[in-house]
């Protein structure tokens, strides 16, 4: 079961379904389902956008371009909204994407460490603040490795979101949440200069059932103009 929780500076709002309540809900009190009336929920793209291998994230950026984390193909692809591929960049197993207001891309992927371990890493691609010849070219723009999880190779970054002031949040997950000080499941805050600030203390990692307990977070998304965000977990 997935849960979605919206967090502001001081308030918490549950906007999904949360398992583990103290009292069992009486399902007989729910209204009977009638005829479902709905608009079309999606429209098939024709021709289909093809040529991807196990993509795990897709994003329409602030620049109105489409970005795909083509995970098994080890690349991030930039496309226009007609589906034409404009450029691509090698990233090992990219799984999450975000774009800040400077139009830089933030990417959660992996690197191979010097000891041979494949570990989670965070990257920034400077799409605009580069030379005119490489501006808005994934294959030519400067890329920085912002963060590496060298000590815990099983951790991954399944979600990233940029806030209005270009600070950004990252969802981290992994199999070991036994540590009180540094469990795998955290939401990490970085400032606009890519300096790690803190794990968000509002979340408790463990086996509790409160809406601020996280164990296996899967994604995160923010809202335009405010520093609220939605966190999803399974």
């Amino acid at each position: 079961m997935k849960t979605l929780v919206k967090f502001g500076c001081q308030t918490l709002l549950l906007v999904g379904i949360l398992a583990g309540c103290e009292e069992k809900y009486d399902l007989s009190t729910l209204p009977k389902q009638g005829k479902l009336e709905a608009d079309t929920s999606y429209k098939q793209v024709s021709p289909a956008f093809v040529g991807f291998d196990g993509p795990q994230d897709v994003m329409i950026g602030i620049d109105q371009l489409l970005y795909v984390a083509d995970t098994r193909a080890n690349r991030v692809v930039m496309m226009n909204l007609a589906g034409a591929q404009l450029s691509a960049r090698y990233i090992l197993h990219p799984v999450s994407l975000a774009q800040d207001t400077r139009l830089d891309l933030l990417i959660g992927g992996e690197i191979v460490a010097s000891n041979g371990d494949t570990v989670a890493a965070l990257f920034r691609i400077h799409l605009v603040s580069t030379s005119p010849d490489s501006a808005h070219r994934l294959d030519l723009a400067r890329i920085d490795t912002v963060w590496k999880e060298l000590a815990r190779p099983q951790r991954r970054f399944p979600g990233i979101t940029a806030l209005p002031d270009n600070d950004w949040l990252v969802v981290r997950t992994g199999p070991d949440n036994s540590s009180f000080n540094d469990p795998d499941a955290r939401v990490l805050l970085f400032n606009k200069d890519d300096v790690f600030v803190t794990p968000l203390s509002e979340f408790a990692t463990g086996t509790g059932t409160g809406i601020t307990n996280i164990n296996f977070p899967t994604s995160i998304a923010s809202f335009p103009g405010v520093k609220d965000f939605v966190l999803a977990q399974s």
Side-chain angles (χ1 to χ4, degrees), residues 132-202:
D133 292 337
S134 59
H136 248 84
R137 287 279 304 271
L138 281 177
D139 53 335
L140 299 178
R142 190 179 103 230
I143 183 170
D144 294 333
T145 302
V146 175
W147 187 265
K148 296 177 275 188
E149 288 285 347
L150 296 175
R152 302 292 291 273
Q154 291 184 295
R155 290 175 171 175
R156 292 296 181 266
F157 297 113
I160 304 179
T161 192
L163 301 172
D165 57 2
N166 290 325
D167 290 351
W168 46 289
L169 298 170
V170 180
V171 167
R172 188 179 72 194
T173 191
D176 185 4
N177 289 319
S178 59
S179 170
F180 177 79
N181 294 319
D182 190 27
D184 287 352
R186 299 302 296 260
V187 178
L188 307 180
L189 172 64
F190 290 80
N191 70 17
K192 63 182 180 180
D193 298 315
D194 297 339
V195 176
F196 172 64
V197 179
T198 183
L200 294 191
S201 60
E202 292 86 351

Side-chain angles (χ1 to χ4, degrees), residues 87-135:
S87 60
R89 185 63 173 260
Y90 173 86
I91 299 284
L92 182 62
H93 298 151
V95 294
S96 54
L97 302 168
Q99 188 174 53
D100 66 14
T101 61
R102 295 171 293 195
L103 306 185
D104 287 353
L105 283 191
L106 301 165
I107 303 166
E110 299 172 4
I111 62 169
V112 178
S114 58
N115 63 359
D117 286 342
T118 300
V119 303
L122 298 169
F123 307 92
R124 177 184 292 272
I125 295 181
H126 299 263
L127 279 178
V128 176
S129 57
T130 52
S131 67
D133 292 337
S134 59

